Amino acid sequence: GDVDLGAGITARYLKIQINVSSFCTVCGTPGVHDFQITGSHTTTHTTAATQIDGGTNFFEWEAFTPTQTTPANTSISYRYRTSTNGTDWTSWVGAIGSVTSRNGNDRYRYLQVEATLSNTDGASTPSIDQYEIDYHTNLAPSTPTAMTAVVGG
């Protein structure tokens, strides 16, 4: 018969142990004839602390453009946070336009991106090829100067 393990189980491995004596011996060979794991799956990736660095002349984080594949039953969501030193971080926000770029003389030149990849069918796989992050520096004489950081690709 069917066995439902319930919701909210997080596991990397699953062991199935069968008590052969509980199977009907006239029904055929005892054993597992059909096996299926269903449910949704989620994984999260966060960029390294100083992987995305606007540099010493950093001015402002501008835009985020992912190149990604999201088949049916999948999704990818992003969150962002910034730091002046690569150690102390602001809170996660859901839009690149909501991150802290500067506060007085403090420049939040480091950006972390958290990508959460999910599916609802337990089989389909979303993927990220790369993403581009547009930002500006404060270099004279043409202040601000547009820049792009590319991650992946």
Side-chain angles (χ1 to χ4, degrees), residues 13-151:
Y13 302 103
L14 176 65
K15 179 180 180 180
I16 298 175
Q17 189 169 357
I18 299 169
N19 182 351
V20 177
S21 66
S22 67
F23 279 91
C24 172
T25 56
V26 294
C27 302
T29 307
V32 176
H33 296 284
D34 191 17
F35 176 70
Q36 180 179 19
I37 297 176
T38 60
S40 61
H41 300 262
T42 300
T43 189
T44 301
H45 175 267
T46 304
T47 55
T50 58
Q51 183 176 0
I52 305 170
D53 180 359
T56 56
N57 294 306
F58 171 77
F59 185 72
E60 184 172 52
W61 298 108
E62 294 287 330
F64 178 83
T65 308
T67 302
Q68 62 189 32
T69 303
T70 50
N73 303 314
T74 70
S75 65
I76 302 175
S77 62
Y78 298 94
R79 294 193 316 165
Y80 316 88
R81 67 182 184 176
T82 55
S83 173
T84 59
N85 56 16
T87 302
D88 303 310
W89 294 90
T90 59
S91 297
W92 289 104
V93 295
I96 192 90
S98 298
V99 299
T100 303
S101 290
R102 56 195 179 283
N103 185 3
N105 291 328
D106 293 330
R107 309 281 177 172
Y108 287 76
R109 64 183 263 186
Y110 297 103
L111 175 72
Q112 269 194 320
V113 177
E114 177 190 75
T116 301
L117 295 83
S118 303
N119 71 34
T120 56
D121 62 8
S124 302
T125 306
S127 63
I128 303 169
D129 296 318
Q130 72 176 27
Y131 43 82
E132 294 181 5
I133 300 119
D134 295 334
Y135 62 101
H136 282 86
T137 62
N138 195 19
L139 292 173
S142 56
T143 307
T145 301
M147 307 291 282
T148 300
V150 177
V151 176

